[in-house]
Amino acid sequence: MARRKNLGYYLNALPHQFHCLYNLRLSSIVHHFEIDTLIVTPYVFFIVESKNYFGTIYFDTLFNQFIRLKEEHQLWKKQ
């Protein structure tokens, strides 16, 4: 909930023709899934999945993975 609140600060700055839907639970024939935020515009939909990560996060193109640097000399890899 806190991350959505933080994200909401930025989403409120979007033009009036952008509409934000939060915490959508959708289903197909056999599965359910959730979307944190769906931004609907007249031309496109944006799906936003927000995570509560901290530190420096970058994408390693050699291994195609995200790497998070939490503290100096400490790496956490998210594949």
Side-chain angles (χ1 to χ4, degrees):
M1 194 67 142
R3 66 181 182 255
R4 186 181 81 172
K5 192 174 190 180
N6 293 336
L7 183 62
Y9 172 81
Y10 298 100
L11 295 177
N12 286 335
L14 292 173
H16 72 278
Q17 67 267 27
F18 284 51
H19 300 283
C20 298
L21 305 172
Y22 301 100
N23 296 328
L24 296 175
R25 181 175 165 86
L26 304 173
S27 62
S28 67
I29 295 172
V30 294
H31 298 288
H32 296 285
F33 59 96
E34 291 185 6
I35 296 175
D36 289 344
T37 305
L38 178 65
I39 302 171
V40 180
T41 77
Y43 306 104
V44 67
F45 291 177
F46 294 101
I47 297 173
V48 178
E49 291 295 319
S50 56
K51 304 297 177 211
N52 194 18
Y53 293 145
F54 60 91
T56 303
I57 300 172
Y58 68 94
F59 187 73
D60 181 342
T61 56
L62 181 62
F63 295 104
N64 292 325
Q65 64 185 2
F66 286 102
I67 298 178
R68 174 175 46 144
L69 182 61
K70 286 176 51 176
E71 298 175 12
E72 191 173 336
H73 307 297
Q74 184 178 9
L75 289 176
W76 294 88
K77 296 183 179 181
K78 174 86 173 160
Q79 292 184 340

